[in-house]
Amino acid sequence: MFLSLRAEVEDALRGALSALELPTDDLGIEEPPEDVEAVLASSVAFRLAGELGAAPPQAAAQVAAEIDPDELTYVSAVETQGPYLNFLPGDAYFAETLAAGTDESYGRLPDREESVVVEHTSANPTGPVHVGRARNPIIGDAVANVLDFAGFDVSRHYYVNDAGRQMAVFTWAYETFDEADLEDEPERDRIEYDLVRYYRKGNAFLEDGPDEEVAAAEAEIDAIMRGLEDGDEETYERVSEVVDQVLGGMKECLARLPAEFDEFVKETRFMLDGSTDELVDQLKALEEAVYEDDAWQLDLTDHGIEKNLVFLRSDGTSLYPTRDLAHHEWKFDNYDRAVTVLGEDHKLQAEQLRTTLRLLGNETDQLEQVLYSYVNLPEGKMSTRRGTGIDLDDLLDEAISRAREEVERRLDDRIRDDDLDEADVERIAHQVGIGAVRYDIVAKQPTKAITFEWDRALDFEAQSAPYVQYVHARCCGILEEAGLDLETAAADLETDVDAAILETDAERDLLETIARFPAVIEEAADDLEPHGVATYTREFAERFNAFYRECPVLADDVDPDVREARLALVAASRHTIANALAVLGVEAPNSM
């Protein structure tokens, strides 16, 4: 209802300004401070005081006088406070919020009939997913979720780098060495942990092996790269045998977050279909094209980019950026918008890509890039060199283990619920542990570097995932205690209640917070900033906990009508927090 109220306020202000023959281009609408009862405020009087020939407080009074609250649906009153106009909500605002919130899909916006492809993660298929890159699938999945919730038709893509030197080295090593040549056992019983040993062995051999054998190996690696460039089917199948196996294991790891994809788009696709060759011809024809240092390049200095974009080697083989340009033109042909989630170390490449696409005649407004800084552990930046870093699987295992310990401790501190068996403890440990990792990472502004701290992420009392998840569990507990089945509660709950009964500050504050949820989704989707939803969940948890403390729902002395209204408010709270957590990719436990 917040979106409806905001639209009503905008219309009312435009009408008032038009009546005063004043410009309506800047309405100065903002959220008021917490100590102000209004839902929205306007500072328009600051801008228009001169034109009205009055001080801002008097200008505000003149504008307010042109608005008749009786003609508005959601606004009950317009009050001035100095130079500000404050818009107070009416009964209809609360009533419709409560009714809307009892729908399980609450917060989902209407279909925008606009397609968006979100590309994220796209880690090279050379081994296990590293924890230093964990921010990409977590942010990328949340960006895709919030766009989907905001009404866009979203496709989640993983762009597979299966044509570069790394994959040629991997293929050669996989075909050259046997199990007996490998020094270590796999760190985990999954295919990518097994095969990465061949990749490491191959790289070590290329660095330290006998010169003649290394030269022969390099010749075979070059032949693999050339075979891919020439569209040789046999070479493609050789590389695919390695890529597909490693990618299968990486999918299993990412599914633990979970981060799932609609399509894995291989870069060799744009070599085999001829689009990369066509693109190379177009690039050579650009004014910026130069042949320097035995390679074709684009000199982009006139476009504010100091480093040249190399797009073709002297031997006629293309590079990753060349194929990625073809990939993006394919995106533009098939989707209305293209969003890519990238690490901060790809900022230069992102600028080169956008500029080159524009030089090729593409409209690049539809291309949006979300850049993020990396995750650090307390002991310092995590390394990816030679497989010495920490794998994402390890982080998730540790999260579940620590969450299990915390759940067990809390159960020991109270009488154990007979209905909470070991399977429930394990379920909660997974929901809380993985939720803690996702929430702690997605809750921060992407461009800010973060250090992951276990104590903070798993703190049930602080503003963390468990703190927010507990709100959902508490809502479920209240509904079950009222005799409702959680599976059918939305249909069985009495929703024809009088929202005006909910008149305490705690109830009204909670309703106002619920009302804002669709607007939070809209803003997060427009800005591609899902951390705004995380901020909202913390505010929501505080409001719900205040309601829980101050407004008993099922106590014997609660009036039956008040009981029904508060139960409806609990149901609306449950749907709101469950959907907000779902956008962040965090599970909402029914019990904790």
Side-chain angles (χ1 to χ4, degrees), residues 440-460:
D440 196 68
I441 290 175
V442 79
K444 310 298 190 303
Q445 188 172 345
T447 52
K448 293 183 178 179
I450 61 173
T451 298
F452 185 84
E453 300 282 359
W454 287 112
D455 291 343
R456 180 192 63 220
L458 286 166
D459 191 339
F460 280 62

Side-chain angles (χ1 to χ4, degrees), residues 249 339 360 489 514 542 578:
V339 176
L360 290 168
I514 291 171
E542 291 176 355

Side-chain angles (χ1 to χ4, degrees), residues 548-565:
Y548 182 81
R549 288 191 304 268
E550 299 172 23
C551 304
V553 178
L554 304 176
D556 293 339
D557 59 347
V558 176
D559 179 86
D561 290 339
V562 173
R563 178 183 185 276
E564 292 298 330

Side-chain angles (χ1 to χ4, degrees), residues 242-315:
V242 177
V243 170
D244 292 347
Q245 289 187 82
V246 175
L247 202 56
M250 296 172 74
K251 290 179 187 178
E252 289 187 42
C253 173
L254 293 167
R256 299 182 67 190
L257 282 172
E260 297 181 350
F261 299 86
D262 298 305
E263 190 171 352
F264 286 79
V265 181
K266 292 183 176 180
E267 63 174 323
T268 49
R269 170 179 184 167
F270 306 102
M271 302 165 73
L272 296 173
D273 69 3
S275 57
T276 299
D277 289 338
E278 292 178 11
L279 189 75
V280 165
D281 292 339
Q282 294 175 46
L283 292 172
K284 285 182 177 180
L286 294 175
E287 292 182 5
E288 291 80 1
V290 295
Y291 189 82
E292 295 178 355
D293 300 325
D294 295 325
W296 278 97
Q297 308 178 35
L298 291 184
D299 183 347
L300 301 175
T301 51
D302 289 345
H303 303 277
I305 300 174
E306 296 300 321
K307 187 173 182 179
N308 286 6
L309 173 71
V310 181
F311 64 87
L312 193 69
R313 300 183 183 92
S314 58
D315 62 2

Side-chain angles (χ1 to χ4, degrees), residues 48-326:
L48 301 177
E51 295 189 47
L52 286 171
Q58 285 70 49
Q62 289 185 52
V63 175
E66 295 294 332
I67 300 175
D68 183 0
D70 292 338
E71 295 180 357
L72 305 179
T73 301
Y74 302 111
V75 175
S76 63
V78 182
E79 299 178 351
T80 59
Q81 184 177 8
Y84 291 95
L85 288 87
N86 295 324
F87 295 84
L88 280 63
D91 289 341
Y93 179 71
F94 294 111
E96 293 193 27
T97 294
L98 187 60
T102 55
D103 189 315
E104 289 179 319
S105 64
Y106 179 63
R108 186 172 287 279
L109 303 182
D111 186 358
R112 302 199 191 194
E113 298 183 351
E114 185 174 349
S115 62
V116 184
V117 56
V118 178
E119 178 200 331
H120 67 84
T121 307
S122 301
N124 291 342
T126 53
V129 181
H130 188 271
V131 74
R133 301 283 175 173
R135 206 171 186 184
N136 197 313
I138 289 173
I139 292 175
D141 190 60
V143 167
N145 290 343
V146 77
L147 286 169
D148 175 69
F149 224 76
F152 293 96
D153 180 12
V154 177
S155 292
R156 297 161 167 83
H157 285 193
Y158 187 121
Y159 186 51
V160 184
N161 180 357
D162 64 334
R165 174 179 166 81
Q166 284 182 312
M167 294 317 305
V169 170
F170 204 158
T171 302
W172 160 79
Y174 178 69
E175 295 174 345
T176 300
F177 299 105
D178 297 321
E179 176 72 28
D181 298 319
L182 308 177
E183 298 176 1
D184 302 319
E185 292 295 317
E187 297 171 7
R188 191 178 291 260
D189 185 19
R190 212 169 58 217
I191 188 65
E192 79 272 34
Y193 286 89
D194 180 16
L195 296 188
V196 72
R197 298 177 302 150
Y198 292 88
Y199 180 63
R200 292 171 183 165
K201 175 68 176 179
N203 279 313
F205 182 87
L206 293 173
E207 286 187 13
D208 303 323
D211 290 346
E212 288 186 5
E213 294 182 31
V214 169
E218 289 288 1
E220 177 60 22
I221 291 165
D222 288 344
I224 293 171
M225 295 175 66
R226 167 57 66 185
L228 290 175
E229 199 75 36
D230 294 341
D232 180 67
E233 191 68 32
E234 182 182 351
T235 304
Y236 176 77
E237 290 176 0
R238 289 168 62 192
V239 174
S240 293
E241 183 179 356
V242 177
V243 170
D244 292 347
Q245 289 187 82
V246 175
L247 202 56
M250 296 172 74
K251 290 179 187 178
E252 289 187 42
C253 173
L254 293 167
R256 299 182 67 190
L257 282 172
E260 297 181 350
F261 299 86
D262 298 305
E263 190 171 352
F264 286 79
V265 181
K266 292 183 176 180
E267 63 174 323
T268 49
R269 170 179 184 167
F270 306 102
M271 302 165 73
L272 296 173
D273 69 3
S275 57
T276 299
D277 289 338
E278 292 178 11
L279 189 75
V280 165
D281 292 339
Q282 294 175 46
L283 292 172
K284 285 182 177 180
L286 294 175
E287 292 182 5
E288 291 80 1
V290 295
Y291 189 82
E292 295 178 355
D293 300 325
D294 295 325
W296 278 97
Q297 308 178 35
L298 291 184
D299 183 347
L300 301 175
T301 51
D302 289 345
H303 303 277
I305 300 174
E306 296 300 321
K307 187 173 182 179
N308 286 6
L309 173 71
V310 181
F311 64 87
L312 193 69
R313 300 183 183 92
S314 58
D315 62 2
T317 55
S318 60
L319 290 89
Y320 178 89
T322 325
R323 301 184 288 270
D324 200 25
L325 286 164

